[in-house]
Amino acid sequence: MNEPRMTGSGPVVPRGLAERARDISEGRLAPAVPRDAATVILLRQDAGRVEAFLLRRTAELEFAPGAYVFPGGSVDARDADPGVGWAGPGPADFAALLDVPPDRARALVCAAVRETFEESGVLLAGASHDDLVGDSAALAADRHALLAGSTSLAEVLGRRGLVLRTDLLTPWARWITPEASPRRFDTWFFAAALPAGQDATAAPEGHADPGESESGSWLRPASALEAAQAGQMTLLPPTAVTLGELAGHPDVPAILACRQVITPRLPKVIVEDGRVRLALPQSGPRSGPRSGPRTGPRSGEERESQ
């Protein structure tokens, strides 16, 4: 697997991160092991323009406080539960697309759906391959229970008679936190359209606890990048790069029809001649319209489930 080429210097590297980079490069410190995570780029079409849903992380968080991010988070052990019903491409199909074993692909896809529901209230599930939850606000109690850790995605889906609509997820990218970071994540990005009848919110209705985010906004990718450049909002490098990629597409169907070649993107904190800079990998290649195991909306006669 070829490593993506690095390009230019990125954002300013905090002093603590620079010191860790020096310690690692000089053999005094071993890099932290990254945890698997999954993120979903929620998209909608508004007045003919693409918008993405971004959450503003609370200022109290240790990792990326105040930054605008896509819904997502770490894989939980219960995400690998084989009892979760799927309607769409199965774990083996996603394993081929993500270049991971099927059991790992299962956990990543389940985490993507669960974290999206927890953080935005959008649930990519339905009673069957041609059904989709129309009003996820009615599941606010389930969302809060997931946030509190008192239930699992498998339990919520089983109780509601739902299965994952995996055909709605389009694999987009894989980002690994720099080795110098004390907390590291190996994160797979998926793109998905906002289901009809559902809405995205930062906090469950009827509950004051917003989880890790204090607000959510639908923003045009180009507008979010302009705001970040003007110092009006903070974007982590993977979020900014992804928004730049989205901005190059005319509409949501064009984004979901695009099959990215999923290769690890690992930003590097580079120490040279006493100076520290962050080198970002170039955007991954695309293979154009989707082929092979398919994700994305399908017609009624295209059936596959597990």
Side-chain angles (χ1 to χ4, degrees):
M1 184 180 296
N2 295 328
E3 183 176 320
R5 291 182 298 167
M6 296 292 171
T7 178
S9 60
V12 175
V13 177
R15 177 175 298 179
L17 206 62
E19 293 174 353
R20 285 183 59 88
R22 290 192 182 93
D23 288 342
I24 290 172
S25 66
E26 296 173 7
R28 293 190 297 270
L29 184 68
V33 177
R35 296 180 57 185
D36 277 356
T39 289
V40 173
I41 311 158
L42 279 178
L43 303 164
R44 74 177 185 183
Q45 201 86 14
D46 185 67
R49 295 177 175 179
V50 174
E51 292 185 337
F53 185 68
L54 292 172
L55 292 163
R56 188 176 189 276
R57 292 171 61 81
T58 60
E60 293 76 18
L61 292 174
E62 180 181 354
F63 177 73
Y68 284 77
V69 297
F70 302 114
S74 300
V75 171
D76 185 273
R78 294 182 291 184
D79 291 325
D81 188 342
V84 175
W86 289 43
D93 295 320
F94 274 95
L97 293 170
L98 304 179
D99 194 25
V100 296
D103 58 343
R104 192 177 184 187
R106 178 193 300 277
L108 288 167
V109 170
C110 288
V113 174
R114 175 184 56 77
E115 285 284 346
T116 300
F117 181 47
E118 288 181 9
E119 296 206 335
S120 73
V122 173
L123 183 58
L124 302 174
S128 65
H129 71 279
D130 55 1
D131 178 73
L132 190 58
V133 171
D135 181 11
S136 58
L139 306 179
D142 293 318
R143 180 184 176 189
H144 187 264
L146 280 170
L147 279 168
S150 60
T151 190
S152 69
L153 180 64
E155 292 167 346
V156 170
L157 297 178
R159 184 168 61 251
R160 298 284 184 173
L162 302 172
V163 293
L164 301 185
R165 284 290 306 274
T166 63
D167 57 315
L168 302 180
L169 289 169
T170 294
W172 192 262
R174 178 185 178 185
W175 285 86
I176 303 176
T177 311
E179 291 185 343
S181 177
R183 296 183 62 191
R184 302 185 64 211
F185 300 93
D186 191 348
T187 306
W188 277 259
F189 284 58
F190 300 86
L194 177 70
Q198 295 195 37
D199 197 9
T201 60
E205 271 190 44
H207 298 281
D209 180 10
E212 296 182 349
S213 304
E214 61 185 29
S215 63
S217 305
W218 286 99
L219 298 170
R220 292 175 53 208
S223 298
L225 290 172
E226 291 170 2
Q229 291 170 356
Q232 299 169 353
M233 62 189 299
T234 300
L235 296 174
L236 297 177
T239 309
V241 170
T242 300
L243 290 170
E245 293 169 347
L246 298 175
H249 295 275
D251 51 36
V252 172
I255 293 172
L256 299 181
C258 179
R259 179 168 175 183
Q260 299 276 103
V261 178
I262 309 299
T263 56
R265 304 185 195 181
L266 176 62
K268 293 184 177 180
V269 178
I270 299 175
V271 182
E272 291 178 335
D273 300 325
R275 301 179 62 186
V276 182
R277 63 185 177 89
L278 181 65
L280 299 178
Q282 292 181 341
S283 296
R286 296 196 302 266
S287 64
R290 181 170 306 283
S291 61
R294 182 178 175 182
T295 61
R298 302 182 300 161
S299 61
E301 61 270 12
E302 290 180 279
R303 301 182 182 182
E304 182 180 4
S305 62
Q306 178 167 332

